[in-house]
Amino acid sequence: MGLSAKQAVFYLSLFSALSLPPLAAWTAKAWGASHTSTLLAFFTVLTQPFLPLVGLSMMSDATGIAFFLIALAFMGRGKHTRAGCFAGFALACRPSFIAPVALALLFEWYLKKDARLKLLIASSGTLLVFFGGVFLLEGKAYLIEALRFTEGHFSVWGNTSFEQTFERDSWLEALAKEPVAFASLILLTLMTALAVPTRPKLTPLLIAATTAVLWTLLAQNPENLRHVLLPAILLAVWVVCASDKRAKLALVLIIALQLGLWPQFLIKPVTSSPLKQAAEFLDRQPTGSLVTNRGLSYLRASLPLHRIHDSFFSDSVEVALKSEKHGSFWKLIGSQSLSKVWCSSEKAFAARVPGEKTLSLHTWRR
């Protein structure tokens, strides 16, 4: 449509996020929800406090969730070829959804013997087209990068429960930072736990929702709260399909609770992203060096007179610190953990929406 690559990614992320409320309602309807329950699913997702974060993130979360909801809707309608194709789209967009998507497919494959071949061919064929296309373009480097990223996520920078470190932020700490926003997710989880005994029949939708909760707790980063949206949406869709009056009343309470968070978006003046605020501040400072792992390409383009170092390469950063004789040396981070060679926060750049990180700028102790 004539957009640049970055604009295209931004609008894809934004419109994917906007599509989630109607897709959640459609999925609930496909699994037998009433008209009232369908509306509850729509408004529960529409008022989700982390929806703006995902829409503005330029990440693949919203697009992956949208395709996964379509796949689940087609499973509910018994259209397994389409379900397999859209499940493949979801994994192609967001490979980290492997656990909930794969288990939902496997459970449907186990339940519907006549649909097994359709699910297998449709899902594997779609994945073969996407991953095969990238492999033809990138070759062996694609597999090496996939292994490096997977290993790094679970053992180096991913901040997951598998990471062997004592400085890991936990989901309890994330809850303490955003208590009201997390309250709706906790209520959804409790309502699911209460409704399961009344609806003992397992479905791919329940399997997907349960797996998404466990996968997020164990294998996702508590610092990035956009990961919470997938389990929240799947739990909401399943709860409205449970046909439990208590669940419907709880959803009304959740919607009211979530609506209580939205006035801050309307009252608060529109601000730039924390990264843009940091770039604008540094642009007004004398030429210096910046260490960070956030928005490196953007910062290098925005601050051509500054030297931008990737904090992932710690040896290079240490050499730069030792060789720096004149000028300022800053570090831009989104967490509180910091070594003693850096001063306390010199400047903070506020987040715009719940779940977005406030970035802080620190100077080097010479």
Side-chain angles (χ1 to χ4, degrees):
M1 296 174 65
L3 299 173
S4 69
K6 289 182 180 178
Q7 288 173 324
V9 171
F10 172 77
Y11 284 113
L12 176 62
S13 178
L14 178 63
F15 290 127
S16 296
L18 291 173
S19 74
L20 295 181
L23 286 176
W26 183 49
T27 305
K29 188 67 178 172
W31 284 93
S34 64
H35 293 301
T36 305
S37 298
T38 301
L39 282 174
L40 284 175
F42 178 87
F43 285 110
T44 303
V45 177
L46 181 66
T47 56
Q48 259 293 321
F50 298 122
L51 195 63
L53 172 66
V54 171
L56 297 172
S57 68
M58 293 181 67
M59 302 293 283
S60 57
D61 300 71
T63 311
I65 295 172
F67 280 129
F68 191 21
L69 286 173
I70 296 171
L72 289 170
F74 280 129
M75 280 187 203
R77 294 181 179 276
K79 300 183 183 296
H80 294 96
T81 302
R82 298 178 191 179
C85 285
F86 280 99
F89 290 150
L91 282 177
C93 287
R94 192 77 184 160
S96 64
F97 287 174
I98 179 68
V101 173
L103 284 177
L105 282 174
L106 284 172
F107 199 75
E108 185 72 358
W109 183 87
Y110 172 76
L111 290 176
K112 306 289 174 63
K113 292 183 180 181
D114 57 330
R116 290 179 178 178
L117 190 60
K118 293 179 182 178
L119 282 171
L120 179 64
I121 293 175
S123 57
S124 59
T126 304
L127 287 173
L128 184 63
V129 169
F130 282 100
F131 292 130
V134 179
F135 181 76
L136 289 175
L137 290 171
E138 303 293 340
K140 187 179 177 181
Y142 179 46
L143 300 179
I144 294 172
E145 174 61 15
L147 290 172
R148 184 198 72 84
F149 188 86
T150 304
E151 183 182 0
H153 173 76
F154 284 106
S155 60
V156 183
W157 66 76
N159 198 22
T160 69
S161 58
F162 298 97
E163 189 177 335
Q164 301 301 311
T165 175
F166 295 102
E167 297 180 0
R168 176 183 178 269
D169 286 347
S170 67
W171 285 104
L172 286 176
E173 289 171 310
L175 171 61
K177 293 175 185 176
E178 301 283 353
V180 181
F182 266 95
S184 60
L185 180 62
I186 294 170
L187 277 174
L188 279 171
T189 307
L190 289 174
M191 289 314 304
T192 303
L194 291 172
V196 165
T198 64
R199 291 283 299 272
K201 183 181 177 183
L202 294 177
T203 63
L205 182 59
L206 178 58
I207 295 294
T210 307
T211 307
V213 172
L214 295 174
W215 184 249
T216 301
L217 286 173
L218 296 174
Q220 298 295 1
N221 189 349
E223 291 185 1
N224 297 326
L225 298 186
R226 54 189 169 81
H227 295 305
V228 169
L229 196 61
L230 174 66
I233 290 176
L234 294 180
L235 285 173
V237 173
W238 187 84
V239 166
V240 300
C241 295
S243 300
D244 190 315
K245 291 183 178 180
R246 294 175 301 172
K248 291 179 181 178
L249 290 173
L251 283 175
V252 173
L253 175 62
I254 288 170
I255 292 169
L257 179 67
Q258 293 177 166
L259 278 173
L261 291 169
W262 280 80
Q264 64 177 301
F265 301 150
L266 304 175
I267 297 170
K268 185 195 257 185
V270 177
T271 58
S272 303
S273 69
L275 192 63
K276 187 175 181 182
Q277 294 174 49
E280 290 172 348
F281 174 80
L282 289 168
D283 193 38
R284 298 191 295 268
Q285 308 305 310
T287 303
S289 299
L290 175 69
V291 179
T292 187
N293 63 350
R294 299 182 177 278
L296 290 162
S297 298
Y298 173 77
L299 290 171
R300 283 168 179 160
S302 304
L303 303 168
L305 299 179
H306 290 68
R307 292 175 294 280
I308 312 297
H309 301 281
D310 188 346
S311 61
F312 177 74
F313 301 103
S314 55
D315 292 341
S316 299
V317 172
E318 189 175 346
V319 170
L321 282 170
K322 290 178 179 179
S323 62
E324 187 72 28
K325 302 298 182 184
H326 305 286
S328 302
F329 213 110
W330 301 284
K331 188 168 189 177
L332 184 67
I333 59 172
S335 62
Q336 299 303 315
S337 58
L338 201 65
S339 65
K340 294 180 180 179
V341 300
W342 298 97
C343 296
S344 57
S345 179
E346 176 182 296
K347 181 76 175 175
F349 307 101
R352 297 164 293 176
V353 293
E356 189 171 48
K357 286 186 180 180
T358 294
L359 300 182
S360 56
L361 190 68
H362 304 257
T363 53
W364 176 41
R365 296 180 189 270
R366 292 185 181 276

